[in-house]
Amino acid sequence: MENRLIVYLKSLKANNGSDLHLKSGAIVRLRVNGQLKLLGEERMSAQNMFDLAKAILTEERYETLLKKKNLDFTYVLDEKSRFRVNFFHQMDGYSAVFRLIPVDIPSLEALKLPTTIKDFTDIQRGLVLVTGVTGSGKSTTLAALLDRINDHEKKHIITIEDPIEFVHKDKGCLVNQRGIGQDTNSFSDALRGALREDPDIILVGEMRDLETIDIAIHAANTGHLVFSTLHTLDAKETIDRIIGMFPTNEQNRIRASLASVLEGVISQRLVRTKDGGRTAAVEILKKTARIEQLIMENRDYEIVDALFEGKEIYGTQTFDQALIDLYDQRRISEDVVMENATNPSDMKLKLQGIGRGASKLYAQSTPKEASKEDVFEFKEVEDEHDKKKKHHI
């Protein structure tokens, strides 16, 4: 079964896909540019999935899968191909998702992220969060931030991940990477231990529970720079989520601590580009006296206005400003802007040059170009709605 898996993974790479989906009783699928595509007609049986788990897992990890019904781990195909894997049980048997992890860590410039994000690599202490839905590129952005620090600083970095994704080599920095289950039992245990390991920078793969969040805030309060992720859509929701996880009688304490240590929130969503790919539209919160005051005084509803108004001075921006920038750069179409806009009616006016503040206004004269966003040619992959093409592995 592992040989069959290798064929699928090679096809995923050949088609520039991001994820391989295997499900008991279903045809194999690849995610390419955000869309699921069929890979031939071959189905994975329930027995196939059991055999695959046995083939690629150690005996101990296989027993853990049977007991817990799901398992996260890293699968290494070769020195150029690593995958983050989740094996899980569902009503028809086992399923698995293999997410391709680039071996070469992309730079912030290669990711075409706003230049102001570089500022977060110059911070000495505090908390920086990268947020977004699953598959929005949070891990890649974090890896690019750490890699820039690794290139320019001489510090001790500890990462705590489930599982380890990007592998950071020691360059200017000493980097210790710990995987949950492999090197430590939990995020909270590893984070608590990290405070005694003389770190300058701590990366927590995900702040999943109250204890981890509390320790992360404490670490930021005690002079460390902490990076982490949350599955939230924007800066306001991020702040509300963190504070809301604590009991009511502790929320004032946490609000005060968060206002003090939160240095930034990078919230990103992937949107379709005109060339058929995807790019990140990014909302950016940076700590300012006003932002700190708004968090402290429970005026989170004013944060979006503060981000909008701080674009030229501080480099902050809302999602809608990010979309307008991408549109002005002719990287995304007007349809994509409207599909992703926080407030479509307001966005329509902004595209006409009304209420855009200090943003550039040349989008009005930008000719509408033919969009290629729904056109994609790929090898060995069949679109689910295309019944004419039939390929077999």
Side-chain angles (χ1 to χ4, degrees):
M1 279 307 303
E2 188 168 11
N3 288 337
R4 187 169 163 186
L5 170 66
I6 290 171
V7 173
Y8 296 153
L9 294 176
K10 286 183 176 179
S11 184
L12 176 71
K13 290 192 66 178
N15 291 288
N16 296 316
S18 60
D19 300 83
L20 168 69
H21 287 256
L22 305 176
K23 176 189 173 184
S24 298
I27 296 175
V28 178
R29 287 167 169 80
L30 307 182
R31 187 175 294 278
V32 181
N33 287 330
Q35 302 295 315
L36 283 181
K37 308 289 184 179
L38 296 177
L39 184 61
E41 296 180 311
E42 204 167 356
R43 295 177 183 271
M44 296 292 288
S45 68
Q47 188 60 49
N48 288 156
M49 293 302 295
F50 270 110
D51 293 342
L52 178 60
K54 286 183 178 179
I56 65 176
L57 293 173
T58 63
E59 184 175 345
E60 181 181 359
R61 287 199 167 189
Y62 180 70
E63 292 300 323
T64 300
L65 173 63
L66 296 181
K67 180 180 179 180
K68 294 188 175 181
K69 305 297 184 184
N70 68 83
L71 183 69
D72 291 309
F73 59 97
T74 302
Y75 181 80
V76 180
L77 179 60
D78 53 49
E79 61 181 21
K80 292 288 186 181
S81 308
R82 301 177 70 251
F83 299 85
R84 183 184 73 194
V85 188
N86 181 267
F87 238 96
F88 60 98
H89 198 275
Q90 42 84 21
M91 61 183 294
D92 297 316
Y94 278 100
S95 288
V97 179
F98 289 73
R99 164 70 56 85
L100 178 63
I101 304 169
V103 173
D104 298 321
I105 301 173
S107 66
L108 294 172
E109 292 80 7
L111 294 174
K112 298 183 178 179
L113 293 170
T115 56
T116 188
I117 287 179
K118 291 181 183 178
D119 295 346
F120 295 124
T121 64
D122 298 324
I123 296 170
Q124 300 303 308
R125 62 189 62 82
L127 178 64
V128 177
L129 300 173
V130 180
T131 81
V133 299
T134 300
S136 59
K138 298 186 297 296
S139 297
T140 304
T141 297
L142 276 177
L145 287 167
L146 282 192
D147 194 55
R148 188 171 192 275
I149 294 172
N150 199 2
D151 282 333
H152 294 86
E153 303 287 346
K154 298 185 185 302
K155 297 184 175 181
H156 181 202
I157 300 173
I158 295 177
T159 78
I160 307 164
E161 304 169 76
D162 185 19
I164 293 171
E165 297 189 35
F166 292 89
V167 175
H168 294 269
K169 297 179 180 179
D170 295 337
K171 292 192 274 189
C173 296
L174 176 67
V175 186
N176 282 297
Q177 296 188 255
R178 306 186 70 193
I180 304 300
Q182 173 183 329
D183 307 304
T184 183
N185 292 324
S186 67
F187 279 112
S188 56
D189 283 352
L191 186 50
R192 193 178 294 107
L195 297 179
R196 300 188 295 273
E197 293 156 6
D198 188 35
D200 298 293
I201 298 163
I202 304 171
L203 181 145
V204 183
E206 185 180 346
M207 297 206 300
R208 292 180 178 175
D209 53 60
L210 185 148
E211 185 179 14
T212 302
I213 292 174
D214 200 16
I215 301 171
I217 292 175
H218 173 70
N221 253 324
T222 53
H224 303 89
L225 177 56
V226 180
F227 289 97
S228 192
T229 71
L230 275 176
H231 291 284
T232 50
L233 293 177
D234 55 33
K236 177 185 178 299
E237 183 184 338
T238 300
I239 293 165
D240 292 343
R241 173 77 60 82
I242 290 173
I243 295 170
M245 289 186 69
F246 288 82
T248 305
N249 62 342
E250 290 190 45
Q251 289 184 3
N252 286 338
R253 173 183 69 85
I254 293 301
R255 181 174 288 279
S257 293
L258 189 62
S260 173
V261 304
L262 185 63
E263 290 291 335
V265 180
I266 303 166
S267 299
Q268 52 190 62
R269 304 173 192 172
L270 294 183
V271 297
R272 298 192 316 276
T273 56
K274 287 184 176 183
D275 61 6
R278 293 188 295 170
T279 192
V282 184
E283 178 177 279
I284 303 172
L285 176 149
K286 294 175 69 177
K287 185 177 183 178
T288 64
R290 183 182 178 190
I291 291 293
E292 186 173 357
Q293 182 181 20
L294 293 179
I295 297 173
M296 179 77 75
E297 297 178 1
N298 196 13
R299 294 158 57 194
D300 302 342
Y301 55 90
E302 296 182 41
I303 286 176
V304 174
D305 288 341
L307 301 186
F308 178 84
E309 294 164 7
K311 182 173 174 62
E312 296 301 319
I313 300 174
Y314 302 112
T316 61
Q317 65 183 30
T318 66
F319 271 119
D320 283 358
Q321 286 174 311
L323 290 170
I324 288 173
D325 285 347
L326 292 171
Y327 177 72
D328 286 348
Q329 296 162 14
R330 305 187 184 188
R331 295 175 61 196
I332 63 175
S333 68
E334 181 176 340
D335 288 343
V336 170
V337 173
M338 297 305 297
E339 286 170 12
N340 292 278
T342 304
N343 189 323
S345 57
D346 284 353
M347 179 60 81
K348 193 71 176 177
L349 294 173
K350 289 173 182 176
L351 289 179
Q352 296 170 3
I354 302 171
R356 292 181 65 173
S359 298
K360 296 177 182 177
L361 300 179
Y362 60 78
Q364 296 179 70
S365 59
T366 301
K368 189 168 183 179
E369 302 173 5
S371 173
K372 299 179 182 178
E373 57 211 24
D374 295 321
V375 180
F376 181 74
E377 294 182 3
F378 48 90
K379 312 179 190 76
E380 299 184 22
V381 184
E382 178 190 5
D383 190 283
E384 293 189 46
H385 302 293
D386 187 350
K387 303 300 182 183
K388 295 180 181 179
K389 297 179 182 178
K390 302 292 182 183
H391 300 285
H392 296 272
I393 294 178

